[in-house]
Amino acid sequence: ELQGDHLPVVMLTGLDDFDSINRAYDAGATDFITKPINWELFKHRTRYLLRAKDTFQAWVEAEARNEAIVSALPDSIARVRPDGILLDFRPGLGELSVAPSAYGRTISESLPELAGPQCMYQLERVAATRQPFSIEYQIQVLGKPIDYEARAVPIGENVLIIFRNISKQKMFA
């Protein structure tokens, strides 16, 4: 159930000057209706606000489901701009991680083991074509080879890259 900042509030007043309107919205009003009340308009605005509340609640629930799914994944996930600038990174259970200072730098600078130029080329391609791509690569961790798959998919204007450790699959292939 929505509470606090997410609860729609309609201000009803006999004042309709800009200062009163601004104060109502600054105080948290969702809508503002002046007297005398046009009941037909009030009915439509109320219906609209309740639909907006329901839509917002559905969005909150979808975000919670998505967060639960992402949290359950063993994969590392990065969100990057089409030019390769790292926006977000969620480490998975694997060996990949980035320092907080990596945000705002290119993915090839942030994760140099990604074979930077190939990854940058693929990022530009997915951004331009809006088609997903997948590459496999190998890194060395403490002298041990680890195989990864990087899948990139467009998400809005940006690109989401999912890094999966596929060493076990490669071993049994």
Side-chain angles (χ1 to χ4, degrees), residues 99-155:
S101 61
Y103 294 101
R105 296 172 51 202
T106 67
I107 192 79
S108 58
E109 292 172 309
S110 306
L111 293 167
E113 61 270 8
L114 280 182
Q118 181 185 13
C119 186
M120 290 300 294
Y121 168 77
Q122 297 293 357
L123 281 173
E124 290 166 0
R125 193 178 87 187
V126 83
T129 66
R130 309 306 295 159
Q131 297 296 314
F133 82 87
S134 177
I135 60 171
E136 293 182 10
Y137 64 96
Q138 190 176 80
I139 63 173
Q140 297 286 322
V141 176
L142 301 173
K144 176 182 165 193
I146 299 177
D147 293 296
Y148 274 92
E149 175 187 60
R151 289 182 180 247
V153 295
I155 180 168

